[in-house]
Each structure stands twice: as C-alpha cells, then as structure tokens.
Amino acid sequence: MKFGIFYEMQLPRPWGPDSEWMLYHNALDQLELADRLGYDYAWEVEHHFLEEYSHSSAPEVFLGAASQRTKTIRLGHGIVQLTTNHPAKVAARIAVLDLLSNGRVEFGMGESASVTELEPFKVDFDDKRAIWEDAVRCLVPMFGEGGVEYHGKYFDFPPRAVLPKPRQKPHPPLWTACSQLSTITYAGEKGLGALGFQFVSADAAHAWVHAYYNAITKRLDRLADYPVNPNIALVSMFMCARTDEEARAKADGATFFQFCLRFYNSPDRKRPPPGAVDMWSEYNRWKAANPGAADKALAGGLIGSPETIRRKLRKFESSHIDQVILLNQAGRNTHQDICDSLELFAEEVAPEFRANVPAHEAWKADVLAGRTRLEEIETAAFTERYGANAVTV
C-alpha cells in the first residue's frame, strides 16, 4: 500500500486574529515534513461555508504553495467541486499546478454532498450528478493541444484554446470522490480512481475493492476519452504514538471530525445562519453527554501504537487497497502531535507496507489483464457510510 495525508483545514472556535494564518502555515510545514519522510500523496479538499469543519475553500492556492516546498509527494485535489466551478477555469488551474509541481498533480473531481455549499451557487442538489458528468465531458478535452468546443446540457463552450497545458500527458490522473460507498462501483465503471471518504472495516474494503475492479474490467463506460486510473484509496482517522493510550489521548480531533461530518450531512437539519453555531462547544456538550460513544468512536481508524496500526493495516493490505489516506489534521490535534505521529509512522510502520507495493502492482496488473478473476461479492451488507463505532448526532 501507499500512504497519503488528508487536509480539511479544520479550525474549531474560538478564533483569534492569527488562527487561520497559523492553520495554513502549520499545514505547509506538515506537508514539507511528509515529503521528507517519503509519504506518497497529499490530498486537499474544496469546501465552502462549513464553519469550523473546513476552512479549505481555495485548495489550488494551498497546493501551489506546497508545490514549492516539496519535491516528490504527489499533490492531490481531493476534490475540486465541478458543480461550482467552470470547467475551463478548473482545467487552467490544474495545468498551472502541474507545471509548478513538475508533474505531481492528482486531479480529484466531485459534486459536493452539502446543500449548504450548493445553494449559494444556484446548484440544485438533485441535479448535481448530471452537472458533474457534463463538466467532466466538457473539461477533459481542454487538456489536449489546440482548441476545443463543447455543447452540453449544463455547459456550452465556444471554440477556444484553454491555456496552459499540463506537464503530465495527456493530463494528471483522474479521481472521483466516493462519499457514498456505492459510488466506488460507479468510479470503477467510469475508469476513475476512487477516493473513498468514509470509514470502513477491512471486510467492507475487501467487498468494495472487488466491486471496483470488476466494474473496471467488465462494465467500463468512460465519460470521455481519458486513460483509466485504476486506484482505490480510503481515508482513515489517524494518530500514531508510542502507546494506544497516548494515541487516543492525542486524537480527540478524530471524534470532532466525525461529529461535524454528521452535523453538516444531516439532510433534515435546518441550516444555521452564519456564526450561529459554535461547533466546538456543541461537540463538547455532546461528548459530556455521550462519553461511551466518544470512546467508541476512537476505537476505529488507525489510532494507536505502531504495532496496533500495523495489525490493522495488514487486514486492509489483504483487501488490496491501493492507498490509505491518513487524517490527523482534525479538531484541536496539535501541530506537534501531528508531526510526531507522521514521523513515528514513517519510521516504524510504513516501510513494511511500502516493501509490498511491487507485489500489489503485480496483482493489479493480473486483474486488469484478466489473468486473475475476482469474485463478485454482494455489497449490500457494506453500504453503511459511517460504521458501527461512528458518532451519531
């Protein structure tokens, strides 16, 4: 397996005059460290208006800065919202980042799963999948040489040359967000890398890996003329420390992350006006009222000693996950704890799994060539996004 790190740019209240400044500069320091330690990917979200949960509304600017402070780590948009950005502007931003980073961009695309984000841009929630697909068809040809035009339901683009062009040819690898597990199969059908933004068991990972690769090999139906990107990555809560107890004590942000995720993704909850909800205070009230649930939420994910995390990762490795994306910039997890965690994991855990990457790539090559056939596993039992230990709001 390969390993990525993931950034929502979480910032619980109360905020001081330097809070956002420090948040961004600490994150850049963490990416620079991860690059030196040999991590494979850095993923940055695009979210709008989600106070405290995510202050990452301009990921292209952050990744541009990161491109100048790193050398080898892949810089991933996880994801660009194609429902709220014009395809031509997205294509240009991706190309510039690819040039600045010497061809290290991973291009993740998504719809947004939140009415809070879509409404201000006049995007109807029920139309977002159709808009996203139209945007992909419009955007991908823009990476090619010469001019392009497109006439679709949502985007009508006259003949123009979209400049500049990316360093990677024909363009950076394409991924799509899979905020619902069923979308992993959809990603396979479309030949896109699957960014699984949910927290699943090893058994669920095994089932969805089979569904994904069977979709690529048996039911491929691409949206446009692009190379297939056969990769499946899953996000996991993360904190590595010398003991399990120490790791859990430093990982309170993991529970805050889940609390905010459930709060903002509850469709029946009225959207609060700006500044009306103090998420950190709400979270602490919930935690005081639900101590057992808070402790249970920390039992999942990759939170623990190096040996505990190794044991959990071996189960995911046997499922043939391509990448695990580690999330520990969350809540009030401290900059020092995040850096210490990245260092300890890189020194004592990652080498074992990095050594097995060639064997995994050989397995994948056999699957894609049809030499290894995967069982069609029924996924109905593995559709719960949050898992048995997850926070309930």
Side-chain angles (χ1 to χ4, degrees), residues 82-118:
L82 295 189
T83 46
T84 61
N85 291 280
H86 192 280
K89 291 189 174 182
V90 174
R93 294 200 298 259
I94 294 296
V96 170
L97 180 60
D98 206 44
L99 294 171
L100 291 175
S101 67
N102 296 315
R104 289 187 282 135
V105 174
E106 301 284 323
F107 180 21
M109 307 173 290
E111 307 167 8
S112 174
S114 170
V115 174
T116 300
E117 297 184 82
L118 294 172

Side-chain angles (χ1 to χ4, degrees), residues 169-230:
K169 303 300 180 187
H171 49 72
L174 304 180
W175 300 72
T176 188
C178 301
S179 57
Q180 302 297 328
L181 283 163
S182 59
T183 319
I184 292 176
T185 303
Y186 174 84
E189 291 172 354
K190 301 309 176 187
L192 302 169
L195 290 169
F197 295 121
Q198 59 285 118
F199 314 110
V200 300
S201 67
D203 289 340
H206 178 75
W208 286 110
V209 166
H210 278 231
Y212 175 78
Y213 281 105
N214 280 328
I216 286 181
T217 56
K218 299 176 183 179
R219 297 178 289 278
L220 184 64
D221 181 23
R222 293 177 298 171
L223 291 166
D225 183 16
Y226 49 77
V228 170
N229 180 29

Side-chain angles (χ1 to χ4, degrees), residues 51-89:
E51 297 173 58
E52 300 183 68
Y53 175 65
S54 178
H55 289 229
S56 178
S57 55
E60 68 281 356
V61 180
F62 175 79
L63 292 173
S67 75
Q68 302 306 291
R69 292 182 56 172
T70 58
K71 292 181 171 63
T72 61
I73 196 167
R74 304 285 297 178
L75 301 175
H77 276 279
I79 48 74
V80 178
Q81 292 182 5
L82 295 189
T83 46
T84 61
N85 291 280
H86 192 280
K89 291 189 174 182

Side-chain angles (χ1 to χ4, degrees), residues 364-383:
K364 182 160 62 172
D366 285 342
V367 170
L368 294 172
R371 293 185 293 270
T372 296
R373 296 186 178 275
L374 301 182
E375 176 189 2
E376 292 276 4
I377 299 176
E378 175 56 56
T379 56
F382 305 108
T383 56

Side-chain angles (χ1 to χ4, degrees), residues 145-156:
E145 298 302 322
V148 64
E149 65 178 304
Y150 180 79
H151 306 288
K153 181 177 180 181
Y154 296 98
F155 297 98
D156 192 80

